[in-house]
Amino acid sequence: MRGESVASRVERGTFHAAVGTLSTIAIVLLIAPTLIVLLVSFTSGQSLRFPPPGWSLRWYQALLTDSPDLWRAATLSLQVAGMATAISTVLAVCGALALAREPRLWARFLDSVFMSPLMLPTLALGLGLLVWFNVFGTGVSMVTLVIGHTAITTPYILRTTCASLSQLDGVLLESAKSLGAGPLFAFRTVTLPLILPGVAAGAFIAFMMSFDNVAISLFLSDARSEVLPIRLWNIIESNLDVRAAAVSGVLIAVTTVLVIVMERVVGVSRHVR
């Protein structure tokens, strides 16, 4: 650094200052909404207002004692997310096994097709699925809702599973085959245990994306299948009900705990880079 010119030091300092400032702004923009909704959930007032006029746990108590509609919606969201994640996991693992180490053009084309739900606007995808179901005269129901959620969650599991398969040492499979193991036995005893962290990481992300999805649920759910995001949207739109902030507080706490647990168990961040 002794031979560094003044101009170089000024340029380096300016660069670090700009990156630091932009990083700070990005962190504040990401964290501030979460902190605000948490603080609002403890308000003693009657409406969503920041800063709160006072502090109380009344809205969390209301969730436990006077919110059967929200509990029904949350239960339905868990069912839809669970079924969509289970179906997506099977489809994505099968697709990853076929595509991960296949260099030919058709494999790359199919990989792009599988990933297309992530590239399309979810509103356009939801509208397209609605029209598609109407063409076949099925209408909207719980089944169409699960199918729609499966379409948007499968790419997440496919990507993390392909990443795990690409790191799998092919010598292990060759050794299993040379010892007489069939394809199914080799998959069950060699491949699956080694890629399981990647599959679990993708399934976790897929479950959270499905549970929190609004656009697809808005197009594909009927009056009897109102999931939690749609229910929250309706109560905020009608009367700024503070229970929506309390639900958000619960979801933030549960998600934080699940992220920490999954990071410790399977290392989610390693599979989504």
Side-chain angles (χ1 to χ4, degrees), residues 40-63:
V40 170
S41 69
F42 291 102
T43 183
S44 61
Q46 295 289 337
S47 63
L48 292 169
R49 191 176 65 178
F50 184 82
W55 304 102
S56 172
L57 293 173
R58 57 182 295 194
W59 299 108
Y60 285 95
Q61 185 179 4
L63 286 183

Side-chain angles (χ1 to χ4, degrees), residues 18-101:
V19 171
T21 301
L22 292 175
S23 300
T24 303
I25 293 174
I27 292 172
V28 170
L29 289 175
L30 289 173
I31 295 178
T34 303
L35 291 178
I36 288 175
V37 77
L38 275 176
L39 293 175
V40 170
S41 69
F42 291 102
T43 183
S44 61
Q46 295 289 337
S47 63
L48 292 169
R49 191 176 65 178
F50 184 82
W55 304 102
S56 172
L57 293 173
R58 57 182 295 194
W59 299 108
Y60 285 95
Q61 185 179 4
L63 286 183
L64 297 175
T65 60
D66 190 27
S67 303
D69 55 333
L70 290 173
W71 281 105
R72 281 195 299 271
T75 302
L76 182 62
S77 287
L78 288 173
Q79 292 173 347
V80 172
M83 287 188 285
T85 302
I87 298 171
S88 299
T89 301
V90 175
L91 295 176
V93 170
C94 293
L97 289 173
L99 301 176
R101 295 187 174 181

